[in-house]
Amino acid sequence: MTLEQIRALLPLIILVGAAVAIMLGLAVRRNHAFTVAVAVGSLAAAILSLALGPTVATPITPLLRLDGFSVFFSGLILAASLFVAVLSHGYWNRRRTVISEEFYILLLLAAAGSVTLTMAVHFASFFLGLEILSGSLYAMIAYERDRQAAVEAGIKYLVLAGGSSAVLLFGMALVYARTGTLDMAAAAAKLAGALDVLTLAGVAMILVGIGFKLALAPFHLWAADVYEGAPAPTAAYAATVSKGAIFALLVRLAAAMDIQSNPPFQATLAAAAVITMFAGNLLALRQSNLKRLLAYSSIAHMGYLLVAFLAAGTLGRTAVGFYLAAYIITTLGVFAVMIVLSGTERDADRLEDYIGLSRAHPLLAAVFAGMLLSLAGLPLTAGFVGKFYLLAAGVGAHLWVLVAALVISSTISLFYYLRFIAAAYAQPAAPPALPAAVAMPRLARLAIAVLVILLLWLGVYPAAVIRAIQEAVAIGR
Amino acid sequence: MRLTGKMPVPQKEKMNATFYISAAVAVLSTILVIVSRRAVHALLYFIVSLLAVAAMFYVMGAPFVAMLQVIIYAGAIMVLFLFVMMMINLGVDVRGPEQAWLRPSRLAGPAVLAGVLVAELVYVLAAGWKHSAAPVEVPPEQVGLAAFGPYVLGVELASLLLLAGLVGTYHLARGRREDKSPKEEQPR
């Protein structure tokens, strides 16, 4: 391996080194604050090493490849992981009975798996990255193992993710049986667009596996239960990092295999997108549990993303990149509010917990409202510009049905976001269900402030970011 | 040892048949793992299932992987499972039922399936080592050269996967913090 390749691998090396260092350090002495510092420091160092890394596309063995595409998505994933790590600190500090340090090891490993996914150009690294990510997520979901709901959610995710991995693997085996290679580009070249029954089934099974992990519509049933049972930081992680990494992989795989221009896949994915958008939004309508609502809303957002994904081309990929960034910032923002409000016993995920929030914490209520409005796609927020780009991509590719579905279903979504905003600004009839959270940790405050700045920046002046994304996805092939 | 396409057709078909028989044994025993009501019975079928997969690898010309499958999975990991089951002592009350679970009639199923595999193995060995169903046989050094040459990062990534599993299992098995005092003051 050359020096240049090691330089390109540096983010992964830093993350894994920090995970091992924390693990060995725990044998000597446990200290929550120090563990968080190491985790956050290593994530920041990994981001820095990405920024200072090679500027030309660097293949690293047949398995991985660092190019503009992976730099952009890895940066997004690492930044989101960093926010989750910072927010977890205050959250676990309040849960005294839970041993919290291992959470950061798992978080760093999951981030390493996600970074692998964004760099993967080979089915082996694709599968390994996915398994590292889900393997860490199982334990992160069931982390509070004294709570029955958490263990139940962990087992549900374990069984369903295991099943979907089996389907994925079977699909890869079928593609391998026909092409004799596991390299994505080489396999695509051998197939050359002409798919017979065997490879058609293979690629379809791979897409089903990915669809499961993204909770696309016929495979979305696990999401709400898992998010509800998982501790809030894990739910935030699963909704942002895990989805972002897998979507990045889907875009790369599709670019290599040219999936969007293949009529059967185009039709099925378009149908899946429409069902996903409506299923997510309609199921969210009656939710009074914020975690379940965010689960369904994340399903709907994956459906929106599919529109830009199907539009393909540079515009489509730019829209995917920008929308994912906006979605991750916004979702993290909502979860951040939930995490700082969560008490010692349970998470602040009920509608009642937010009634009268504007009285107790006016600023926090404003942030909460802003983030939800961005999820709904209202102007001045990142979500608006993101949705605008999705529509532009969809219209540019003449996907009229999808564009109509996007507009109608995101109008529906306004209802349930506004319901929570209205609760936050309502007069509390009774004393609040949760005692007003004790002084917010300074780090969490800083994290929320940064998220708000990013939200407004992307919403008001997105040009610089969009240019950066355009460059990143242009080299993406 | 490359034997591309030199095998007479009937023999090749016979070898394919051995592959399908062991595949059927694997599927059948895995289903029985899932539907078994007692953990011990499930475990016995699981061992058979792993051995059947090993037989599939062997017939497909990957003797090294077949060997690993037997040593690591059917050997080490399953023995570990058995130990755990023996250590979770349920007390005197279950001694009666426990003896019933291990009645010879209960062992007939796994024994028959394992017998099929043994018969296959004997047949394959008697027919001659070279007649594998796959056109190419993959010797151990080739596996090693691939795993630690171009795909060395794959091995490293697999180790990360194991690390994640290890840390997760450790945490979930460990339980809760007993004290209620602030965390920072409690070195362990």
Side-chain angles (χ1 to χ4, degrees):
Chain A
M1 205 178 280
T2 65
L3 206 59
E4 196 68 356
Q5 286 175 327
I6 290 177
R7 218 177 114 204
L9 256 187
L10 213 52
L12 270 180
I13 296 173
I14 291 172
L15 289 180
V16 176
V20 173
I22 293 177
M23 185 178 70
L24 296 179
L26 288 187
V28 183
R29 192 187 146 87
R30 278 186 182 273
N31 185 321
H32 188 200
F34 181 70
T35 307
V36 177
V38 173
V40 170
S42 67
L43 284 165
I47 295 174
L48 201 68
S49 74
L50 267 181
L52 302 178
T55 44
V56 288
T58 320
I60 316 162
T61 71
L63 294 177
L64 303 174
R65 176 186 162 91
L66 187 86
D67 50 21
F69 182 86
S70 39
V71 167
F72 172 72
F73 281 102
S74 299
L76 199 60
I77 281 160
L78 290 171
S81 308
L82 194 147
F83 276 107
V84 174
V86 167
L87 292 166
S88 307
H89 176 240
Y91 181 86
W92 292 122
N93 254 348
R94 260 168 276 144
R95 306 274 161 109
R96 291 270 157 75
T97 54
V98 180
I99 299 166
S100 52
E101 287 83 3
E102 278 84 358
F103 188 79
Y104 302 94
I105 305 177
L106 294 169
L107 191 143
L108 288 178
L109 288 174
S114 309
V115 169
T116 308
L117 278 179
T118 64
M119 294 183 183
V121 288
H122 194 277
F123 282 121
S125 48
F126 166 16
F127 188 71
L128 282 168
L130 199 60
E131 286 304 293
I132 296 170
L133 174 60
S134 4
S136 316
L137 270 180
Y138 303 145
M140 283 166 79
I141 290 168
Y143 198 79
E144 281 182 279
R145 52 151 241 166
D146 289 333
R147 269 199 318 121
Q148 210 182 345
V151 176
E152 187 191 319
I155 289 177
K156 263 181 198 162
Y157 190 68
L158 175 73
V159 172
L160 289 175
S164 68
S165 290
V167 173
L168 185 70
L169 211 50
F170 204 145
M172 288 177 185
L174 289 182
V175 172
Y176 180 74
R178 178 61 81 220
T179 61
T181 172
L182 282 174
D183 188 279
M184 288 180 197
K190 283 234 172 100
L191 294 175
L195 299 178
D196 55 358
V197 179
L198 201 63
T199 44
L200 208 61
V203 178
M205 284 171 106
I206 292 175
L207 289 179
V208 165
I210 293 175
F212 240 114
K213 308 276 176 183
L214 287 177
L216 297 182
F219 317 113
H220 62 282
L221 296 166
W222 58 270
D225 285 355
V226 168
Y227 283 29
E228 191 187 4
T234 307
Y237 200 84
T240 55
V241 176
S242 148
K243 298 249 165 122
I246 296 167
F247 213 97
L249 181 107
L250 176 63
V251 171
R252 197 194 276 275
L253 179 71
M257 299 202 124
D258 215 6
I259 284 172
Q260 290 100 333
S261 61
N262 199 306
F265 292 127
Q266 197 190 18
T268 28
L269 283 172
V274 173
I275 304 172
T276 306
M277 283 187 268
F278 279 104
N281 283 319
L282 291 176
L283 287 169
L285 274 185
R286 299 296 304 154
Q287 285 306 326
S288 53
N289 181 306
L290 186 58
K291 274 193 204 157
R292 293 186 80 86
L293 182 133
L294 285 172
Y296 288 123
S297 116
S298 90
I299 293 170
H301 283 279
M302 290 303 126
Y304 302 156
L305 271 169
L306 273 188
V307 177
F309 168 76
L310 282 168
T314 313
L315 182 60
R317 285 204 294 273
T318 312
V320 166
F322 188 86
Y323 197 79
L324 260 179
Y327 164 78
I328 286 178
I329 291 168
T330 318
T331 308
L332 276 178
V334 182
F335 271 109
V337 174
M338 192 200 296
I339 288 170
V340 298
L341 285 178
S342 294
T344 50
E345 292 303 318
R346 62 175 186 84
D347 292 343
D349 55 1
R350 300 180 192 159
L351 184 60
E352 305 97 80
D353 299 337
Y354 293 88
I355 292 175
L357 182 64
S358 65
R359 289 291 181 95
H361 304 280
L363 269 179
L364 208 55
V367 172
F368 186 62
M371 294 296 172
L372 287 181
L373 287 177
S374 170
L375 278 181
L378 262 66
L380 285 186
T381 60
F384 171 73
V385 182
K387 238 172 224 165
F388 181 80
Y389 256 84
L390 291 188
L391 285 177
V395 169
H398 307 291
L399 303 168
W400 300 112
V401 180
L402 288 176
V403 168
L406 202 166
V407 171
I408 297 169
S409 65
S410 61
T411 316
I412 298 174
S413 76
L414 258 179
F415 171 78
Y416 56 83
Y417 293 127
L418 285 179
R419 199 158 149 241
F420 267 81
I421 296 174
Y425 283 91
Q427 298 281 351
L434 280 178
V438 258
M440 245 191 282
R442 208 170 294 155
L443 270 176
R445 249 186 252 185
L446 182 69
I448 291 178
V450 173
L451 285 173
V452 170
I453 293 170
L454 286 174
L455 179 85
L456 293 176
W457 180 40
L458 287 195
V460 177
Y461 184 66
V465 181
I466 286 173
R467 218 171 305 127
I469 295 173
Q470 265 166 349
E471 274 170 33
V473 297
I475 343 168
R477 287 300 295 266
Chain B
M1 277 191 286
R2 281 166 190 276
L3 347 123
T4 29
K6 284 191 182 155
M7 203 186 302
V9 176
Q11 251 179 350
K12 171 125 184 152
E13 271 168 7
K14 273 182 205 159
M15 298 320 285
N16 276 342
T18 57
F19 172 80
Y20 285 119
I21 291 171
S22 31
V25 171
V27 171
L28 193 64
S29 54
T30 310
I31 292 173
L32 288 168
V33 171
I34 299 169
V35 299
S36 290
R37 301 185 70 121
R38 305 280 173 212
V40 183
H41 300 155
L43 199 62
L44 287 174
Y45 282 117
F46 196 22
I47 294 175
V48 175
S49 158
L50 292 170
L51 290 175
V53 173
M56 280 157 69
F57 277 129
Y58 185 82
V59 176
M60 284 192 296
F64 181 61
V65 183
M67 202 171 68
L68 286 184
Q69 176 85 11
V70 172
I71 294 174
I72 296 176
Y73 283 95
I77 294 181
M78 282 303 109
V79 170
L80 211 63
F81 267 53
L82 266 180
F83 270 137
V84 171
M85 266 183 212
M86 278 167 14
M87 280 193 294
I88 304 174
N89 199 340
L90 296 177
V92 188
D93 297 348
V94 291
R95 209 166 278 167
E98 237 172 31
Q99 270 163 4
W101 298 341
L102 292 177
R103 267 203 315 264
S105 62
R106 297 301 232 140
L107 300 179
V112 167
L113 290 177
V116 172
L117 291 180
V118 171
E120 247 185 29
L121 190 69
V122 169
Y123 169 75
V124 170
L125 288 180
W129 153 253
K130 286 178 189 168
H131 304 301
S132 71
V136 185
E137 189 194 310
V138 184
E141 63 261 38
Q142 220 171 313
V143 176
L145 282 175
F148 294 98
Y151 297 107
V152 65
L153 277 181
V155 178
E156 301 286 342
L157 288 173
S159 74
L160 284 191
L161 178 57
L162 291 180
L163 181 64
L166 190 71
V167 173
T169 319
Y170 166 74
H171 172 77
L172 293 180
R174 182 145 178 256
R176 60 195 290 156
R177 197 185 287 265
E178 290 305 332
D179 58 277
K180 295 259 179 182
S181 54
K183 289 180 175 178
E184 266 65 38
E185 292 162 23
Q186 287 295 321
R188 271 161 200 260

